[in-house]
Amino acid sequence: MSTTIEDVAKAAQVSVATVSRALRGLPNVAPSTRERVVAVAARLDYVADPTASRLAGGRRMVLGLVVPMLGQWYYAKLFSGVEAVATVAGYDVLPFTTSGPGGSERFVASLPFRKRVDGLILADAPFDDEQFAAVAGTGIPIVSLGSFLPGVWGIAVDNAAAARLAVGHLTGLGHTRIALIGGIPDDPFRFSVPVDRYNGYQDALAAAGLSGDPALVVPGNFSAEGGAEAMHKLLAAPTPPSAVFACSDEMAIGAIQVARDAGLDVPGDLSVIGIDDHDISAYVGLTTIRQDVTGQGERVAHLLLERLEGESDAKADVHEPHPTRLVVRRTTGPPADVAARPRTLDRTVT
Amino acid sequence: MSTTIEDVAKAAQVSVATVSRALRGLPNVAPSTRERVVAVAARLDYVADPTASRLAGGRRMVLGLVVPMLGQWYYAKLFSGVEAVATVAGYDVLPFTTSGPGGSERFVASLPFRKRVDGLILADAPFDDEQFAAVAGTGIPIVSLGSFLPGVWGIAVDNAAAARLAVGHLTGLGHTRIALIGGIPDDPFRFSVPVDRYNGYQDALAAAGLSGDPALVVPGNFSAEGGAEAMHKLLAAPTPPSAVFACSDEMAIGAIQVARDAGLDVPGDLSVIGIDDHDISAYVGLTTIRQDVTGQGERVAHLLLERLEGESDAKADVHEPHPTRLVVRRTTGPPADVAARPRTLDRTVT
DNA sequence: CAGCACCCTGCAAGCGCTTTCACCCTGTGT
DNA sequence: ACACAGGGTGAAAGCGCTTGCAGGGTGCTG
């Protein structure tokens, strides 16, 4: 079939052991020998069979990435970042999805990553305590992305702070009826991005002396479609909001569309802010909280590699925050009543 | 370490061979034996080590997916579709990117998929003839997505037809100065999505009795940013277009933003149509040509599996077209001069 | 009742590599 | 000149599974 290490050994007049060592840059190979082996390998077009190396070496050289789904902007960017770093380090990355048929139940029941990965990146995995314990119980090194888990290295943005930043921007503009489009805040999940953002939202309202209105908190499924549905609900509320904080840009865009279809001017009649800074947000003028998703993917991959290759246990948990930043564009502005009397804006805010 | 097939064999009082057969559903295992083995395996929480099976079985159980990059909407959707089908069939999917550092040169020089995949899906891979020959020369079964290659099974939308549909929509509305934002039409690549769309664009212009203006054809890099840059160029043209056909929705959105910033009304002063029907296109009101990317991914994965598992050589090339459809929303309309005298629209078109 | 199929099962040889261990051959110190 | 350290190399034992082959039962035919 294709050339094996034995072919190279024969051609270079050395043993397979020496070929293995020479090609992998291990010590204890005479420079002249190495040179010859490398040359022969190149001539024969030899590459080591990763399957065999993995079996013999005991290391899978695979990083598992657990995400709700592929195909959504956030997870695609994440994958991209993880993949870039993993590839350079010689690892493959194997995605596992937890939404779709069976969802996390199926995932936890089958633990499909067993014997397939050296380590696992858990990104927004919707596991409850028991499910998480099952995953962790496999003994496979885990790092998390999105929220911090006790005993698990991870990186995440400060979601509560990001939400406060977003809502603070709105209260700062003078808004008092601010809606939240986000996940269901009472999910029993360990990964609590929606919860954190909800809390940040409430905090920011309180900080501005506002009392939240439960009617203004609706789920949005983190998709444009969900954002649109959410906006429909908000517009049907007894007293609709003058501003919306959507927990993702896609939801924000869906919401804006519905608002405009309903004849509202954005930002004249309704301000909308998102989170992410999606690739196209700049091109629809969406005000948002930027987070660098690809960068987070790269970082979390490094973190996992560090755990796998380093003397990990020596160190304490790594819980590394990732920065976010307010990007003001053209979907937020003062509420209509305040805009009418701009001079008093400052006092109105207070 | 973890439980191996031998542990199961011992516990079930059979040989490892029998365990292997029983667990994989092979024939020639007594029902009672199989039952016992399955029970023991379940009790011991046994799963076969894929690395070992692969080595022994000679099949990698991996599908390679070659794309320019991950992280872009189109490729993320594609990956998602491929992954879904592959997973069900027991295959992993391993992505390879051809853009980024080194580009396709690096890819072709290292042929990183060697000994790692059973088959390859080439999606919009920017290879010239020689490079493609190098990839095909590895003897690994290949299917293509995006364009048809001689001797290679593949699926693709009819890009020329899609472009004709888009441009035909614009000429039908009465536009006569229609720009194209797309790839560089003279790339020497085998994968000719931009070329096909360019040709379709020219065809549609000709069919409407219009002569193309080279100044109205600009590259756009298939990103919102590229679309924006392209639009800047178009607006600076001696005679700017009244309509734009962008070869992707992301470029279309970037272009619209720039046009509106320049004070143009879309679609009043400028019509814009894209291709893809990106998830958020519906929510920015973009008129576009829809293609089902996830569905194409599923289909092409099936096709590859069929090639791998079937008696493939018996059949002729499979070149399977995938449907597209015009979705009219709110970024296209008659040109300003025609809109002013709607009664004569039909004759103006002719 | 002999003879033959046919089932079911186990043995053992790999799959292509990594890694331990032992060995040999230099070069150095005394 | 002799012992010793240590770098360079090869033989061989796996890694955990799949599969070809052979063997032992069982049931059926003539």
Side-chain angles (χ1 to χ4, degrees):
Chain A
M1 185 74 199
S2 54
T3 72
T4 72
I5 196 174
E6 203 156 344
D7 300 328
V8 177
K10 221 162 281 173
Q13 319 238 43
V14 292
S15 70
V16 295
T18 299
V19 173
S20 175
R21 287 190 277 251
L23 258 26
R24 284 182 305 143
L26 295 188
N28 288 344
V29 176
S32 63
T33 308
R34 168 162 297 151
E35 208 172 310
R36 181 159 37 96
V37 170
V38 168
V40 169
R43 179 163 58 77
L44 297 186
D45 220 39
Y46 169 77
V47 289
D49 183 327
T51 307
S53 327
R54 285 164 189 186
L55 217 214
R59 307 174 34 169
R60 303 271 123 64
M61 300 307 286
V62 175
L63 265 33
L65 176 63
V66 181
V67 294
M69 72 240 284
L70 273 39
Q72 209 175 54
W73 180 82
Y74 181 89
Y75 299 112
K77 286 292 177 190
L78 186 59
F79 192 98
S80 169
V82 169
E83 199 266 347
V85 168
T87 297
V88 169
Y91 284 77
D92 294 336
V93 15
L94 191 57
F96 298 95
T97 56
T98 58
S99 70
S104 25
E105 286 70 31
R106 171 189 49 73
F107 181 84
V108 172
S110 67
L111 297 174
F113 55 87
R114 283 183 297 170
K115 296 195 183 166
R116 324 188 110 237
V117 306
D118 297 311
L120 221 47
I121 298 172
L122 253 42
D124 301 340
F127 298 144
D128 60 28
D129 282 19
E130 191 183 337
Q131 291 175 321
F132 175 73
V135 173
T138 59
I140 290 173
I142 293 178
V143 299
S144 72
L145 178 76
S147 13
F148 297 134
L149 272 24
V152 176
W153 288 14
I155 84 156
V157 300
D158 185 336
N159 282 296
R164 286 195 300 271
L165 195 55
V167 177
H169 170 64
L170 298 174
T171 59
L173 286 166
H175 290 277
T176 55
R177 289 196 55 77
I178 301 174
L180 174 77
I181 300 181
I184 302 114
D186 48 25
D187 276 348
F189 296 157
R190 299 294 308 231
F191 279 79
S192 48
V193 173
V195 178
D196 290 344
R197 291 184 184 170
Y198 173 78
N199 290 336
Y201 162 78
Q202 293 292 8
D203 291 350
L205 290 185
L210 301 170
S211 60
D213 177 351
L216 295 187
V217 176
V218 291
N221 191 36
F222 283 85
S223 68
E225 193 182 353
E229 281 172 29
M231 194 68 225
H232 274 124
K233 280 189 205 129
L234 289 174
L235 291 179
T239 325
S242 70
V244 171
F245 165 44
C247 285
S248 82
D249 282 2
E250 281 152 302
M251 292 192 291
I253 290 169
I256 289 170
Q257 158 81 355
V258 168
R260 287 185 171 148
D261 276 358
L264 296 179
D265 182 64
V266 176
D269 302 315
L270 182 77
S271 284
V272 178
I273 185 170
I275 282 195
D276 275 346
D277 201 18
H278 189 292
D279 287 341
I280 64 163
S281 293
Y283 298 95
V284 295
L286 181 66
T287 296
T288 190
I289 307 293
R290 173 181 300 167
Q291 61 171 329
D292 174 12
V293 182
T294 304
Q296 289 179 63
E298 293 169 355
R299 190 67 196 94
V300 78
H302 272 127
L303 205 58
L304 180 52
L305 291 175
E306 205 176 313
R307 273 228 50 180
L308 292 179
E309 306 191 337
E311 56 308 322
S312 52
D313 308 305
K315 289 166 71 175
D317 285 5
V318 175
H319 281 187
E320 186 180 301
H322 217 76
T324 57
R325 195 181 112 212
L326 173 65
V327 179
V328 178
R329 289 196 273 247
R330 300 189 318 275
T331 57
T332 51
D337 54 342
V338 172
R341 41 193 162 90
R343 288 300 112 95
T344 66
L345 187 145
D346 278 351
R347 240 173 307 144
T348 306
V349 171
T350 312
Chain B
M1 184 75 198
S2 54
T3 71
T4 71
I5 196 173
E6 203 159 343
D7 300 328
V8 178
K10 222 164 283 175
Q13 319 239 44
V14 292
S15 70
V16 295
T18 300
V19 174
S20 175
R21 290 186 198 113
L23 258 26
R24 285 181 306 142
L26 295 188
N28 289 343
V29 177
S32 64
T33 307
R34 167 162 295 149
E35 208 171 311
R36 180 158 38 96
V37 170
V38 168
V40 169
R43 179 162 57 76
L44 296 187
D45 220 38
Y46 170 77
V47 289
D49 183 327
T51 307
S53 330
R54 286 165 189 185
L55 218 212
R59 306 172 33 164
R60 303 269 123 63
M61 300 307 285
V62 175
L63 266 33
L65 176 63
V66 181
V67 293
M69 73 242 282
L70 274 39
Q72 209 174 55
W73 179 83
Y74 182 88
Y75 299 113
K77 287 292 178 190
L78 185 60
F79 192 100
S80 169
V82 170
E83 200 265 347
V85 168
T87 298
V88 169
Y91 283 77
D92 294 336
V93 15
L94 191 56
F96 298 93
T97 56
T98 58
S99 71
S104 24
E105 286 71 31
R106 170 188 49 73
F107 181 85
V108 171
S110 67
L111 297 174
F113 54 87
R114 283 182 297 168
K115 296 195 185 166
R116 324 188 110 237
V117 306
D118 297 311
L120 221 47
I121 299 171
L122 254 42
D124 301 342
F127 298 145
D128 60 28
D129 282 18
E130 192 183 336
Q131 292 175 321
F132 175 73
V135 173
T138 60
I140 290 173
I142 293 179
V143 298
S144 71
L145 178 75
S147 11
F148 297 134
L149 271 26
V152 176
W153 288 15
I155 84 155
V157 300
D158 185 336
N159 282 296
R164 285 196 299 270
L165 195 55
V167 177
H169 171 63
L170 298 175
T171 58
L173 287 166
H175 290 277
T176 55
R177 288 196 56 77
I178 301 174
L180 173 76
I181 300 181
I184 302 115
D186 48 24
D187 274 349
F189 297 156
R190 298 295 307 231
F191 279 81
S192 48
V193 174
V195 178
D196 290 344
R197 292 184 184 170
Y198 173 78
N199 290 336
Y201 160 80
Q202 293 291 8
D203 292 350
L205 290 186
L210 300 171
S211 59
D213 178 351
L216 295 187
V217 176
V218 292
N221 192 35
F222 284 84
S223 69
E225 193 182 353
E229 280 172 29
M231 194 69 225
H232 274 124
K233 280 188 204 129
L234 290 174
L235 292 179
T239 325
S242 71
V244 171
F245 165 43
C247 285
S248 83
D249 282 2
E250 282 153 302
M251 292 194 289
I253 290 169
I256 289 171
Q257 159 80 354
V258 168
R260 287 186 172 149
D261 276 358
L264 296 179
D265 181 64
V266 175
D269 301 315
L270 183 78
S271 284
V272 178
I273 186 170
I275 282 194
D276 275 347
D277 201 18
H278 189 293
D279 287 341
I280 64 165
S281 293
Y283 299 95
V284 295
L286 181 66
T287 296
T288 190
I289 307 294
R290 173 181 299 166
Q291 62 171 328
D292 174 11
V293 182
T294 304
Q296 289 178 62
E298 294 169 355
R299 190 66 197 96
V300 78
H302 272 127
L303 205 58
L304 180 52
L305 291 175
E306 206 175 314
R307 272 228 51 179
L308 292 179
E309 307 191 335
E311 55 307 322
S312 51
D313 307 305
K315 289 166 68 174
D317 286 6
V318 175
H319 281 188
E320 185 180 302
H322 217 77
T324 57
R325 196 181 111 213
L326 172 65
V327 179
V328 178
R329 290 198 272 247
R330 300 188 317 275
T331 56
T332 50
D337 53 344
V338 173
R341 42 193 163 89
R343 289 299 112 96
T344 67
L345 186 144
D346 278 349
R347 241 172 307 142
T348 306
V349 171
T350 313

